[in-house]
Amino acid sequence: MLQPVQLFKLLADETRSSIVMLLRESGELCVCDICGATKESQPKVSRHMALLREAELVIDRREGKWVHYRLSPHMPAWAAAIIDAAWNCERDVVRSKLSHASTTSC
């Protein structure tokens, strides 16, 4: 089960925090969209996604060769509330990243 210290350690990394905010905004994104929005390489994004999956913050589904991620509906309510509060502070920045990434997506 996710503990508060674990969540804060995960979100302390700027890339992981950005990924979580992007997923909060979009609902679901494929790896290529996350790479475009964060301007990070696919191996780096995949490494961060593995950590978020292990913590059960995100879930994935495969569609052909693409992997799509979304925030887990099973995360504790307190964790979802923290993510929502952070997203409310950053939503304009997150939306800007997504709009820039949509022109260079998969």
Side-chain angles (χ1 to χ4, degrees), residues 20-35:
V20 169
M21 295 301 109
L22 290 165
L23 292 173
R24 169 59 181 82
E25 172 66 25
S26 296
E28 184 176 78
L29 292 170
C30 71
V31 172
C32 62
D33 291 330
I34 295 169
C35 291

Side-chain angles (χ1 to χ4, degrees), residues 46-59:
S46 292
R47 192 168 51 250
H48 286 292
M49 295 312 299
L51 292 169
L52 294 170
R53 251 191 339 268
E54 287 172 18
E56 298 179 349
L57 276 182
V58 300
I59 57 175

